[in-house]
Amino acid sequence: MAEKKKEKRSSVVRFFVTGVALAMLVFSVMLLIGLRIAVNQGLFAMSRDTVHKSGEVTIREINRVHEALKLCNEYLVDNVATYMRNRPDTWAADLTDEAKKYFGADMAVIVNAEGVQVSPERNGKVYRPDIMQAALSGNSVDELVTLNEDIHCVYGSPIVIDGRVRGCVIVRKIASTDSLVQEIKEDTGYDVTIYATNGTLRAHTSVAGLKGTHMNDQKIADLVLGGGEIITNSIINDEEWISYYYPLKDRSGKVLTMLFMGTPYSSVRATAKRIFFTVMIICIVMSIALLVTTLFVFLKRIANPLKVVGDAIEHLGSGDADLTMQLPVHGNDEFAEICTNVNAFISMLHTIIKELTEVQTSIVNLASDLGSSSQQSASATAEILANVESIQRQSKTQTDSVTRTGEILNTVEHSTETLNNLIENQSAATTQSSAAIEQMLGNITSVSNSVHKMLENFHELEQVVRSGNEKLSNVSGKVQQISEESESLMQANDMISQIASQTNLLAMNAAIEAAHAGDAGKGFSVVADEIRKLAENSSSQSSTISTELKDITTSISDVVNLSGQAQAAFANIITHLGVTDGLIKEIDGAMSEQESASRQIFEALTETKNMAVEVTEKSNDVSTAVTNVDKEMSTVQEISDTISNSMDEMQAGAQQISESAQNVQDLATRANEEVKVMGSHLSKFNI
């Protein structure tokens, strides 16, 4: 009874059923909690988004008023000419009356080209001259305006007859009305409020009891009237609302007033509660159904097949096992596969027990043979020990030879390394010399090019000097010619001086004769005086010219002397240029020879460098070969050590074999006894 209670407490079936029930309970509770949170958050988020999107409905409804005014305006413009022709006395009144009647306009005004209203004031009057002027200028005006704390739609168009503006039509209709907010609430399901133009007075609202009251949150009003919008939670009538405040702007972007659209949190919570309870009932029913189905399937497809398998395994573990038994296999599931595998195990166990029975008989025969074989093993082990001692002596001799060979190889390797260092130093010195010779070749080539250029420049300079000498000779001839002409000028100037002296004498004689003539000679006296002055001036100028000509003659003489000196200098320059030309040619030849010799040195150094590289490679090959041989000798040394160690181990092993042979003989005796025991156990299986 105690065993049954213990087995019942540790029942896998009860544990699984309890675990599944608890898991389903926890899953259902977590699902309902998550669902409640998701439904609440989803509905509130959806309500905020819907409220935000529904805010466009108000603007759309106001635009519908605009469209109606546009039709009214078009009606007036299209029928002006007809009414003027058919009703010349009352055309303006009749036309505006019909427009207000058919299109519901609050104002319909007709103005002539001079800006004078021709329609009766009962149908309205112009209160925005700017709109009238814009229409008279030929432009259509579509605008939202404020009037008496309400929003009005205004539409104005010019009256064009025969291509000229004859006047304009202006219509107006109020857009912010109680009926408008009620229509929007019916369309969207959300409450709407249109504030007065001051931004805080609720002029029109669908929320009961709020019309004519003021908004308390001035910060929201300032934000929206500044052009912004906001979705927030607010308290209205002591109740929390999802509120969307947004501006209403005219066509120019100016904020006219503030609009509100929202819904109470209580309606959202009520909807969320209805959805949650409906889903909760569905979840509970589905959880119970799933639990019952899971338990039925578990008991049907898992618990019962497990019991069958357990009974079969319990039978196999009993003292009298029937290895011919097979479990029933039903279906094609995991338990059918387990039963098939258990059947295969029973068959395999049946085969093993049968083979063990046969082997047990063979082991009895082998145990007797093992005793005789162990004696033969002992004698063979003694011979092995003698051979191992001989191999140990030979291995020691080989190890000594390998050690001496390794020392010689180390000496060769050290010498090879020294040779490599010397070759590397020689190669580096050759490389540096080659670089220096190569740089010297570059410098020689550069100097040779400069000498060639200098030689060409000296040839050009010689030609220029010769040309200058020739031109200087021409200048000297011209100067000589000028000197000769200056002498002619000196002679002409002397002649002028003599003429001036004679003229002066004649003037003095004429003055004397005029004085003798008295009054009759006064005129001649004046002329004689002027001639005398002219003669004196001529004499003075002649003296000045004579002085200048002398200076010119002196300068010309200096030029002639300098020209001669310059010709002599040019001759010396030409002589020195010839000498310099010869020296430059000698330098050019020497530089060519130097370049040729340097190139031969460079080629020799290059060949030396290549030979050094080849020697280095050969030396490296030798060093590598020595290193490899050294490694191989190390390997041989290791092998010799291994052989020596192996011989020691073999000697120890041979001794162990000798001891083991005796143990084997003892074990054979014990095995024979154990085989008898195994036979008694195998006889318990029914095969």
Side-chain angles (χ1 to χ4, degrees):
M1 188 69 180
E3 291 181 356
K4 288 185 178 180
K5 288 182 179 179
K6 184 177 181 181
E7 184 179 344
K8 186 176 181 180
R9 284 196 299 271
S10 61
S11 173
V12 176
V13 175
R14 188 172 67 251
F15 177 77
F16 179 80
V17 171
T18 305
V20 170
L22 290 175
M24 292 298 298
L25 179 62
V26 172
F27 172 75
S28 300
V29 172
M30 295 299 294
L31 178 64
L32 292 175
I33 293 174
L35 183 64
R36 179 65 179 271
I37 295 173
V39 169
N40 288 336
Q41 293 180 350
L43 281 177
F44 283 119
M46 184 180 67
S47 299
R48 291 169 72 92
D49 293 340
T50 308
V51 167
H52 182 270
K53 293 178 181 178
S54 299
E56 300 176 356
V57 176
T58 305
I59 307 299
R60 192 161 55 245
E61 291 296 329
I62 294 174
N63 288 334
R64 286 176 54 189
V65 177
H66 270 292
E67 294 297 325
L69 282 180
K70 184 177 180 181
L71 294 175
C72 178
N73 193 281
E74 291 176 353
Y75 172 80
L76 290 172
V77 172
D78 293 341
N79 291 279
V80 165
T82 302
Y83 274 69
M84 289 178 64
R85 183 173 59 253
N86 297 333
R87 308 177 189 178
D89 296 330
T90 61
W91 68 273
D94 295 342
L95 187 58
T96 53
D97 287 341
E98 291 184 5
K100 292 182 64 178
K101 177 180 178 182
Y102 294 134
F103 295 97
D106 296 325
M107 181 194 79
V109 176
I110 299 175
V111 179
N112 60 18
E114 287 75 23
V116 179
Q117 181 174 333
V118 298
S119 60
E121 290 190 1
R122 69 173 182 271
N123 292 333
K125 61 181 180 178
V126 177
Y127 73 99
R128 287 285 298 270
D130 56 333
I131 297 177
M132 180 186 69
Q133 293 298 328
L136 290 176
S137 64
N139 299 317
S140 295
V141 181
D142 182 9
E143 189 60 89
L144 286 175
V145 299
T146 58
L147 181 63
N148 296 330
E149 297 183 346
D150 283 322
I151 305 302
H152 292 256
C153 299
V154 179
Y155 204 97
S157 297
I159 301 173
V160 181
I161 301 176
D162 297 331
R164 294 180 58 190
V165 178
R166 303 293 183 176
C168 69
V169 173
I170 302 173
V171 292
R172 173 175 54 81
K173 185 177 182 180
I174 187 171
S176 55
T177 61
D178 293 336
S179 60
L180 178 65
V181 297
Q182 291 299 331
E183 289 177 2
I184 296 173
K185 181 178 180 180
E186 292 174 0
D187 291 341
T188 62
Y190 297 108
D191 286 291
V192 181
T193 299
I194 301 176
Y195 288 84
T197 54
N198 61 7
T200 58
L201 178 65
R202 296 182 176 95
H204 306 281
T205 180
S206 60
V207 183
L210 290 185
K211 185 175 182 179
T213 61
H214 285 272
M215 177 183 178
N216 295 327
D217 198 337
Q218 188 62 40
K219 292 182 178 180
I220 294 178
D222 295 338
L223 173 65
V224 177
L225 293 176
E229 59 181 33
I230 184 173
I231 298 178
T232 184
N233 299 336
S234 57
I235 304 299
I236 300 175
N237 284 344
D238 298 329
E239 187 178 3
E240 190 175 7
W241 284 60
I242 299 175
S243 303
Y244 173 43
Y245 296 92
Y246 55 103
L248 179 63
K249 302 177 182 179
D250 60 11
R251 302 306 182 203
S252 63
K254 178 183 177 182
V255 177
L256 299 176
T257 188
M258 180 172 60
L259 304 177
F260 161 84
M261 181 168 283
T263 185
Y265 263 83
S266 58
S267 61
V268 179
R269 289 194 183 95
T271 303
K273 189 178 294 184
R274 288 194 300 271
I275 295 173
F276 172 73
F277 280 115
T278 302
V279 175
M280 183 180 67
I281 293 173
I282 294 172
C283 288
I284 292 173
V285 172
M286 291 183 65
S287 298
I288 294 173
L290 181 61
L291 178 61
V292 172
T293 303
T294 302
L295 295 177
F296 175 77
V297 172
F298 175 77
L299 294 175
K300 181 72 176 176
R301 300 299 301 275
I302 298 177
N304 294 334
L306 277 177
K307 188 175 185 304
V308 173
V309 175
D311 293 341
I313 294 174
E314 182 180 3
H315 177 70
L316 290 175
S318 64
D320 186 13
D322 185 6
L323 297 181
T324 60
M325 180 191 67
Q326 294 288 308
L327 296 178
V329 179
H330 301 290
N332 192 23
D333 55 7
E334 290 82 355
F335 288 102
E337 185 178 358
I338 291 173
C339 291
T340 301
N341 294 333
V342 171
N343 290 334
F345 171 73
I346 294 173
S347 299
M348 181 184 67
L349 187 62
H350 176 269
T351 303
I352 292 172
I353 296 299
K354 186 176 181 180
E355 292 177 353
L356 283 175
T357 302
E358 296 174 355
V359 170
Q360 186 262 345
T361 304
S362 299
I363 290 175
V364 172
N365 298 326
L366 291 174
S368 61
D369 295 338
L370 185 61
S372 61
S373 297
S374 61
Q375 293 178 355
Q376 296 176 359
S377 297
S379 60
T381 303
E383 294 179 1
I384 291 172
L385 285 172
N387 293 328
V388 165
E389 290 176 356
S390 177
I391 293 173
Q392 279 181 332
R393 289 193 296 271
Q394 295 177 3
S395 176
K396 184 177 181 181
T397 302
Q398 181 184 3
T399 302
D400 294 337
S401 299
V402 168
T403 302
R404 289 195 297 271
T405 304
E407 293 175 355
I408 294 171
L409 287 174
N410 288 331
T411 303
V412 173
E413 185 177 5
H414 180 71
S415 300
T416 304
E417 290 178 356
T418 304
L419 177 61
N420 281 337
N421 293 331
L422 293 174
I423 293 172
E424 288 178 359
N425 294 333
Q426 180 186 7
S427 179
T430 304
T431 302
Q432 294 176 357
S433 300
S434 178
I437 294 298
E438 187 175 0
Q439 184 177 4
M440 185 175 69
L441 277 174
N443 294 332
I444 290 172
T445 303
S446 177
V447 172
S448 181
N449 293 332
S450 300
V451 169
H452 284 300
K453 291 182 180 179
M454 187 184 298
L455 186 60
E456 293 175 358
N457 293 332
F458 269 110
H459 285 307
E460 293 177 359
L461 179 60
E462 184 178 5
Q463 293 176 1
V464 171
V465 170
R466 292 184 184 277
S467 176
N469 193 15
E470 292 175 358
K471 292 180 180 180
L472 189 59
S473 298
N474 295 331
V475 170
S476 180
K478 295 292 184 182
V479 171
Q480 188 66 33
Q481 184 179 355
I482 292 171
S483 177
E484 294 174 356
E485 291 177 354
S486 64
E487 291 179 357
S488 299
L489 290 174
M490 288 288 291
Q491 294 174 1
N493 187 56
D494 292 338
M495 189 178 291
I496 291 170
S497 178
Q498 293 175 3
I499 293 171
S501 177
Q502 292 176 1
T503 303
N504 190 17
L505 292 174
L506 290 173
M508 291 176 62
N509 291 330
I512 294 170
E513 291 297 329
H516 291 163
D519 293 334
K522 287 183 179 181
F524 187 72
S525 176
V526 174
V527 174
D529 187 47
E530 292 297 326
I531 291 171
R532 183 181 59 79
K533 292 179 180 180
L534 179 61
E536 290 177 353
N537 290 333
S538 296
S539 178
S540 176
Q541 293 295 328
S542 176
S543 177
T544 302
I545 290 171
S546 178
T547 303
E548 295 294 332
L549 285 175
K550 288 179 180 179
D551 294 337
I552 290 172
T553 301
T554 302
S555 298
I556 289 172
S557 297
D558 294 337
V559 171
V560 171
N561 293 330
L562 292 174
S563 178
Q565 294 176 2
Q567 284 180 332
F570 271 112
N572 290 329
I573 290 172
I574 292 172
T575 301
H576 288 295
L577 283 175
V579 175
T580 305
D581 185 36
L583 293 174
I584 291 173
K585 287 180 179 179
E586 291 178 0
I587 293 171
D588 188 20
M591 293 306 294
S592 298
E593 293 176 358
Q594 182 68 31
E595 182 177 6
S596 177
S598 298
R599 289 193 181 278
Q600 292 177 359
I601 294 171
F602 180 71
E603 292 173 358
L605 285 174
T606 302
E607 185 176 357
T608 302
K609 180 181 178 182
N610 294 332
M611 292 175 65
V613 171
E614 185 176 358
V615 171
T616 302
E617 293 176 354
K618 297 297 183 180
S619 177
N620 289 332
D621 293 339
V622 171
S623 178
T624 303
V626 170
T627 302
N628 293 333
V629 171
D630 190 17
K631 291 181 180 178
E632 294 297 331
M633 293 307 297
S634 298
T635 304
V636 171
Q637 179 71 34
E638 292 175 358
I639 293 172
S640 298
D641 294 339
T642 303
I643 292 172
S644 178
N645 294 330
S646 298
M647 290 301 101
D648 294 338
E649 292 176 358
M650 287 176 65
Q651 186 176 11
Q655 292 176 356
Q656 291 177 358
I657 290 172
S658 179
E659 295 174 357
S660 298
Q662 183 63 37
N663 293 332
V664 167
Q665 189 172 5
D666 296 337
L667 290 173
T669 303
R670 292 176 58 189
N672 194 10
E673 296 175 355
E674 295 294 334
V675 166
K676 292 179 181 179
V677 175
M678 184 175 67
S680 64
H681 287 297
L682 289 174
S683 62
K684 294 180 180 180
F685 289 96
N686 185 10
I687 57 174

